[in-house]
Amino acid sequence: MAKRDLRALMQPAAAGMFMKQFLRWALVCCAGVFLAYTLSALKVNKAPSDPWAAHCLSQFLSDARSFSTATSDLKTTVNDLSAGDTASLTHARQALLRCRLSYKKIEYFMEYFFAYPVNLYNRAPVHEIEEPYMEYQSPVGLQLIEDLLYGEDPFAQKQALQEQAAVVQSTAADIPASVYGFEATGVQVAESLSQELIRVMALGIAGYDAPVCKSGLPESAVALQSVKAVLAAKTAGEQNLYADSCMHYLDKAIVLLQASTGFDTFDRLSLLTDALLPAQEYLNRYCCQQYPGIGGEGAYNYNARHLFRPDALRQAAFDRLAQSDTAAGLVALGKLLFSDNRLSGDNTRSCATCHKPSLYFSDGLKGSPTIGNGGSTRRNAPSLLYSSYQYGQFLDARDASLEKQIYTVLQNPDEMHSRLDDVVRKLDNKTYRPLLRKAFSQAGKQITPAMIARAIAAYERSLSPFNSAFDRYINGDHNAMNVSQRRGFNLFMGKALCGTCHFAPLFNGTLPPLFNRTELEVLGTPDGGSLDKPVPDTDSGRFGIFPIEFYQYAFKTPTVRNAGETAPYMHNGSFTTLEDLIEFYNRGGGAGIGLEVPTQTLSPRKLNLSQAEIADLKSFMLALKDSL
């Protein structure tokens, strides 16, 4: 996550918790450094046997020393802050920007090979829980320094700034100790470059880790320069069409980024179509040529042309059953079951009752009707489109698979109110028996709940068309989106900061470049939708699954693909129009409209979007409508 403010941190209890975490971190860090130096006494720090990896390590160590120097400068300028001295504040902010730029030179290496220390340099300025181990992480690092330096009264935060600068400086100084005995291969270096390119396209240009100072564009240029330099070292003295073409488009992207006149007005769409996507296509071809099988079972498919192709992400990486959902008739069988009322206890409703295909697999209601009693569910029925590209089903992410979700819905007394054995009994008939047995190659065997759930899940996994006007545009049809929609995309990925939570290309909370976790956010959504007289919502969200303070009111970030067809919005259906929804974010979420939301992860800062910009954002979201 990238966003946020320090209200929770600045509260006494949370501040105490932060200091405990800080001290724990210091002890761990000291122990780690001691261990590293102990190991160094026992073995020689030999370079990787792969020449390219060896060169990469050498360059990394040189750039890491520069980063360490930059962190020392940052620490000095923070120490020199003097109340009312605007020059000292300017110097500290400039030092932060230099530090961030210096870090971007080594980001590709650090993120790939040393992911844990990255948290200390670039962790979001909010409290987070890292699942599945439920590890608590307090705010720390460069993003927190940014939030403090650009806050309402940075001088009053000098002590906190000094503590943070000291953490960053000391850990940066210890980077060389972390590479004792380091080994790497060429394929790992290639993967690190590919991941960095995705990181730039999906996060860097969107301002993900610098949303306040808005330095994402020059930082992205620096990151691309590192990618190009490392790739050039591999191909020095030889000609390779794929590598040469990739470097040509990287150069083009760097020039466009360096020529930018401002974060809010930059044309990201042209950057992608004219430079970054061609660069990625040629990098993918080069990687596959040099390292067949690169990527393994990861989410990103190196055989795809680029990130915005329908085959760019492998469903099997999100769900191991997805790779075997190709049995003859399985999806068709799931589609048939999806609309069968016999799945419900009283034979009055099916999955399609609340997830209507005609309404893009939602139902247009604030809460769906409950079965048998005339009530309504507490939460809005989310669209099932693209539901296979996430790591948690339901708005509180309580189920880890589509199959588990189906079992939950079937047995929920408010939704389907069935018993699994009863469902099997009702479907064990001349219509379904041969279809199920054919799909599962189990002639003569008994039908099971697992077979039914698997078939429906296979159908749900097929609901990812990737054929919207935006998809057509980004893949070469430049007549597919109008001028307003193109402006809207640039706002979405820029000034409006939508892309810092709704990550491209899925535009949901599944985080690039590894796409290995789906984020939850605390937005402070009001009950009833009023922005002028907001009423707090009482739905505790994921806190009901894990009663941890920072999960209070946390909900999964859904995709905004087809958002124009799936009103009302939010977990409680509070907002009936896209304009109201955008205005909620424009004002800074719940905290921005005056609610007390101490754990809010969305920044309470106003976006200052004009009515024309809101209209353009809406136009872009409408361009995400698929043809079903």
Side-chain angles (χ1 to χ4, degrees):
M1 293 183 259
K3 302 103 181 148
R4 345 290 190 177
D5 80 322
L6 299 169
R7 296 186 182 191
L9 176 61
M10 294 299 109
Q11 291 178 358
M17 186 182 296
F18 167 76
M19 289 307 299
K20 290 179 182 178
Q21 181 73 6
F22 178 83
L23 292 172
R24 187 177 76 171
W25 168 86
L27 290 172
V28 171
C29 194
C30 291
V33 173
F34 174 78
L35 177 61
Y37 281 104
T38 300
L39 291 175
S40 70
L42 299 177
K43 63 178 179 179
V44 178
N45 179 25
K46 61 181 180 181
S49 57
D50 184 292
W52 189 28
H55 170 87
C56 182
L57 176 60
S58 176
Q59 185 61 52
F60 165 73
L61 287 172
S62 175
D63 291 337
R65 285 190 286 272
S66 297
F67 173 57
S68 179
T69 299
T71 62
S72 294
D73 292 343
L74 175 61
K75 181 180 177 181
T76 298
T77 60
V78 164
N79 288 334
D80 290 342
L81 278 173
S82 179
D85 183 358
T86 56
S88 68
L89 178 60
T90 298
H91 291 155
R93 288 176 175 175
Q94 290 173 341
L96 172 64
L97 295 176
R98 291 193 298 270
C99 192
R100 291 194 56 82
L101 287 169
S102 185
Y103 174 73
K104 289 295 173 175
K105 288 186 178 181
I106 61 174
E107 182 179 54
Y108 76 96
F109 194 98
M110 290 296 299
E111 288 277 0
Y112 187 90
F113 292 107
F114 302 107
Y116 180 74
V118 167
N119 285 335
L120 301 174
Y121 309 132
N122 219 23
R123 182 184 299 166
V126 291
H127 298 87
E128 292 184 323
I129 306 296
E130 288 296 318
E131 295 190 37
Y133 305 108
M134 310 310 292
E135 179 184 353
Y136 167 79
Q137 293 188 352
S138 63
V140 64
L142 293 177
Q143 288 190 51
L144 180 52
I145 293 173
E146 175 199 27
D147 220 48
L148 293 166
L149 276 177
Y150 286 83
E152 293 182 1
D153 188 0
F155 298 109
Q157 304 299 334
K158 181 174 180 178
Q159 181 177 350
L161 281 163
Q162 288 175 315
E163 291 172 352
Q164 293 301 313
V167 170
V168 172
Q169 187 275 328
S170 62
T171 54
D174 289 336
I175 287 177
S178 65
V179 299
Y180 279 98
F182 175 80
E183 290 284 354
T185 63
V187 66
Q188 289 177 313
V189 175
E191 287 179 348
S192 74
L193 299 184
S194 176
Q195 289 176 16
E196 185 65 14
L197 189 52
I198 295 173
R199 189 175 291 111
V200 167
M201 290 193 295
L203 304 179
I205 63 175
Y208 173 76
D209 51 0
V212 185
C213 62
K214 297 186 175 182
S215 56
L217 301 181
E219 290 178 18
S220 294
V222 169
L224 293 178
Q225 287 172 332
S226 282
V227 171
K228 179 176 179 286
V230 173
L231 182 59
K234 168 70 171 174
T235 60
E238 63 181 65
Q239 289 186 332
N240 185 288
L241 175 63
Y242 297 152
D244 292 344
S245 298
C246 176
M247 288 187 282
H248 165 75
Y249 284 108
L250 288 174
D251 278 334
K252 188 172 184 178
I254 292 166
V255 169
L256 290 171
L257 287 164
Q258 290 177 335
S260 167
T261 58
F263 181 87
D264 289 349
T265 59
F266 184 68
D267 187 354
R268 291 161 176 81
L269 193 56
S270 294
L271 175 72
L272 286 168
T273 56
D274 297 347
L276 287 181
L277 295 185
Q280 186 178 42
E281 178 177 354
Y282 285 112
L283 180 60
N284 286 350
R285 292 184 180 185
Y286 179 76
C287 288
C288 289
Q289 177 194 69
Q290 299 293 312
Y291 305 104
I294 186 173
E297 297 182 355
Y300 184 64
N301 175 20
Y302 283 76
N303 290 304
R305 281 178 53 200
H306 57 67
L307 183 63
F308 291 90
R309 295 292 296 174
D311 60 343
L313 298 177
R314 299 171 56 255
Q315 275 195 343
F318 296 83
D319 185 341
R320 61 182 178 81
L321 291 177
Q323 62 187 335
S324 54
D325 277 350
T326 57
L330 188 59
V331 171
L333 172 59
K335 183 177 182 179
L336 190 64
L337 286 164
F338 190 84
S339 297
D340 197 318
N341 286 348
R342 284 172 290 189
L343 292 175
S344 63
D346 62 1
N347 300 323
T348 63
R349 64 173 57 192
S350 67
C351 304
T353 302
C354 299
H355 300 281
K356 302 179 187 296
S358 62
L359 294 179
Y360 282 70
F361 295 88
S362 62
D363 64 3
L365 301 173
K366 184 176 180 179
S368 303
T370 54
I371 193 166
N373 60 15
S376 60
T377 57
R378 179 174 54 161
R379 295 174 183 164
N380 176 252
S383 171
L384 297 179
L385 292 164
Y386 302 98
S387 58
S388 59
Y389 291 98
Q390 56 192 7
Y391 292 97
Q393 304 301 327
F394 297 106
L395 290 166
D396 56 14
R398 64 184 180 273
D399 283 349
S401 71
L402 288 170
E403 282 80 5
K404 180 65 168 62
Q405 171 223 18
I406 292 162
Y407 288 142
T408 299
V409 171
L410 288 177
Q411 297 174 98
N412 188 307
D414 286 337
E415 297 182 47
M416 301 293 266
H417 202 188
S418 287
R419 294 177 64 251
L420 297 181
D421 290 345
D422 289 342
V423 174
V424 168
R425 176 181 52 79
K426 287 189 283 185
L427 297 181
D428 192 2
N429 55 45
K430 63 181 181 181
T431 299
Y432 282 112
R433 196 178 302 120
L435 295 174
L436 285 160
R437 288 172 177 167
K438 178 182 178 181
F440 292 97
S441 302
Q442 291 183 338
K445 292 187 179 180
Q446 184 178 1
I447 296 172
T448 66
M451 295 164 69
I452 296 167
R454 176 73 181 286
I456 298 174
Y459 173 57
E460 292 182 0
R461 291 188 186 101
S462 74
L463 303 177
S464 304
F466 291 106
N467 63 11
S468 69
F470 166 76
D471 293 301
R472 298 195 303 275
Y473 184 96
I474 203 77
N475 281 288
D477 179 4
H478 290 178
N479 294 316
M481 288 203 302
N482 61 37
V483 174
S484 176
Q485 290 167 335
R486 297 198 294 271
R487 288 197 302 260
F489 173 82
N490 287 325
L491 285 163
F492 188 97
M493 294 291 287
K495 179 181 178 180
L497 297 176
C498 310
T500 63
C501 287
H502 297 273
F503 307 117
L506 297 169
F507 299 109
N508 68 5
T510 303
L511 183 64
L514 297 179
F515 301 95
N516 60 351
R517 75 172 189 265
T518 299
E519 294 195 337
L520 296 93
E521 304 287 353
V522 179
L523 305 176
T525 305
D527 185 20
S530 174
L531 299 179
D532 298 320
K533 296 181 179 180
V535 176
D537 184 70
T538 58
D539 189 335
S540 63
R542 192 158 177 77
F543 183 85
I545 309 303
F546 292 112
I548 299 170
E549 177 185 358
F550 302 111
Y551 274 153
Q552 188 73 265
Y553 312 120
F555 292 91
K556 186 179 64 180
T557 303
T559 183
V560 296
R561 285 179 173 271
N562 301 296
E565 312 304 313
T566 56
Y569 306 106
M570 300 304 210
H571 67 276
N572 54 11
S574 282
F575 301 115
T576 58
T577 69
L578 284 173
E579 289 88 349
D580 289 342
L581 177 66
I582 296 169
E583 182 61 23
F584 170 71
Y585 288 99
N586 192 28
R587 297 192 190 185
I593 61 176
L595 294 175
E596 287 294 326
V597 193
T599 58
Q600 181 169 312
T601 56
L602 177 73
S603 172
R605 294 182 174 92
K606 290 179 173 26
L607 297 172
N608 297 315
L609 299 172
S610 68
Q611 289 304 305
E613 288 172 328
I614 290 175
D616 286 339
L617 266 176
K618 176 183 176 180
S619 292
F620 167 64
M621 292 186 198
L622 296 180
L624 289 170
K625 176 183 177 180
D626 286 307
S627 297
L628 301 183

